Amino acid sequence: MSDLIPTLVCLAVGLAVALVAWLSARVVMAVPEEDRDYKDPPPLGFRLMWWPIHVVAYFIGGVIPAKSHAALQTRLRKAGLDFTLAPAQFLASRVVCGLLIALLAAWMLSVFDKPAPNVAAAGFGPLLYLQVALGGALMGWLYPLVWLSDRLAARKKDLLKTLPFYLDVITLCVEAGLNLQGAISQSVSKGPAGVLREELQRVLRDIRAGKARAQALRDLAERLNEPSISNFVSAVIQAESMGMSLGPVLRIQADQRRVERFLRAEKLAMEAPVKMLFPLIAFIFPCTFIVIFFPIAMKFIHSGI
């Protein structure tokens, strides 16, 4: 009877593992495949974890509040990911990333939980493992949000940097006799690669697909959600509706955007000394004082003072 008990325990554990694997397979098989024929490929980090992200997104998609769904969809659209990720998929990436970082943190802690030979050590307790796993889960949960914020900031910086150049090209083309659509097409073909080029290409695709030009420009302003783009779109639509010449309007917009870019650069230059103050006080000044006063201190020590 004593020999039979371990066998029964092993059999019960094996059956439990098999049952969990069977249930997991049933759950995974219930998730339909996503049609991504007309979608952009996700970023590299999402592609590496795409299978668990897709599975988790399928089950949490129906429980996301409508307000949170709309807010996240707006941020994804502004980040240029509206044809790449759905809000449920982005939330699923936060869940998956949190679980992976928690497991990785617990595994790294277990690597160090090896007492030296001939040393009586109890090792790390389960409470420490739980704390480390929760800390890793929190970091993994926040990382996709930080990544999205950095992407938004980078896109905004690139947009505001290249906007005056594109407006200059559009202005020159309009003053040379092209219509607005032709001027935008020329600016896309001649302008530098970046956020604004991609968005203007999308405007041209919308116009070729049959959307009105004014509506395509309004969609551009809504996607980017930047005051500079909104002012440009409003001025162009108002000038066309009133029958005004677009050349002077576009020239004024280009000059204004260039002045704003210069003011932003001037503001950043004024902020630089303030940002350098802490590194100077915390790192550079102490090293300078050590280099200067060390020989003096050594002379005082050797002179017996």
Side-chain angles (χ1 to χ4, degrees):
M1 193 65 180
S2 59
D3 296 335
L4 187 60
I5 292 177
T7 305
L8 294 177
V9 172
C10 294
L11 183 61
V13 171
L15 289 175
V17 172
L19 181 61
V20 170
W22 179 72
L23 291 176
S24 302
R26 287 285 302 272
V27 169
V28 171
M29 292 298 294
V31 179
E33 294 186 3
E34 183 185 15
D35 185 11
R36 298 191 62 88
D37 292 339
Y38 301 99
K39 292 185 177 182
D40 298 328
L44 178 61
F46 289 86
R47 289 201 299 270
L48 294 176
M49 303 184 298
W50 188 249
W51 179 73
I53 287 175
H54 177 58
V55 173
V56 175
Y58 176 77
F59 291 102
I60 69 172
V63 298
I64 302 176
K67 187 176 181 180
S68 301
H69 187 280
L72 186 54
Q73 181 67 44
T74 301
R75 296 197 70 188
L76 291 175
R77 181 169 60 246
K78 191 175 180 180
L81 299 173
D82 48 340
F83 283 106
T84 303
L85 296 173
Q89 293 171 342
F90 182 77
L91 288 178
S93 70
R94 300 182 67 184
V95 174
V96 173
C97 187
L99 292 175
L100 289 179
I101 299 299
L103 293 175
L104 179 62
W107 174 78
M108 292 181 64
L109 184 62
S110 68
V111 171
F112 293 99
D113 189 12
K114 301 216 179 271
N118 302 324
V119 175
F124 300 136
L127 182 60
L128 182 60
Y129 276 94
L130 180 61
Q131 292 173 349
V132 170
L134 289 177
L138 181 61
M139 292 176 59
W141 171 260
L142 294 177
Y143 176 75
L145 196 61
V146 174
W147 172 81
L148 182 61
S149 300
D150 290 343
R151 182 182 175 92
L152 287 171
R155 283 175 61 87
K156 180 178 180 180
K157 181 180 179 181
D158 182 74
L159 172 66
L160 297 178
K161 180 181 178 181
T162 58
L163 179 59
F165 175 80
Y166 276 93
L167 289 180
D168 286 336
V169 175
I170 293 173
T171 302
L172 290 175
C173 293
V174 169
E175 290 177 347
L178 289 176
N179 60 2
L180 183 60
Q181 182 176 349
I184 294 176
S185 178
Q186 287 297 318
S187 68
V188 167
S189 61
K190 305 298 182 183
V195 177
L196 192 56
R197 182 179 182 179
E198 296 173 359
E199 293 296 335
L200 291 177
Q201 287 176 340
R202 187 168 174 177
V203 169
L204 294 175
R205 289 198 303 267
D206 291 342
I207 295 174
R208 295 191 189 103
K211 185 179 292 186
R213 187 167 61 190
Q215 186 60 41
L217 291 174
R218 289 192 186 96
D219 293 341
L220 170 68
E222 184 181 356
R223 284 195 305 270
L224 296 177
N225 195 21
E226 285 295 332
S228 301
I229 300 296
S230 300
N231 293 336
F232 161 69
V233 170
S234 300
V236 169
I237 293 176
Q238 186 175 6
E240 284 189 332
S241 62
M242 297 179 64
M244 298 172 56
S245 177
L246 287 178
V249 175
L250 293 173
R251 178 68 63 184
I252 293 173
Q253 288 290 320
D255 293 339
Q256 187 175 358
R257 301 289 87 79
R258 192 176 297 104
V259 170
E260 291 176 355
R261 185 176 64 178
F262 178 78
L263 292 176
R264 283 193 301 271
E266 197 174 44
K267 178 184 176 184
L268 292 175
M270 296 292 289
E271 292 176 353
V274 180
K275 294 180 179 179
M276 293 174 61
L277 188 60
F278 176 75
L280 283 172
I281 296 175
F283 304 107
I284 299 178
F285 284 171
C287 298
T288 305
F289 291 151
I290 291 173
V291 171
I292 293 175
F293 290 108
F294 181 75
I296 300 174
M298 293 302 295
K299 286 184 179 180
F300 276 114
I301 292 173
H302 288 298
S303 63
I305 299 177

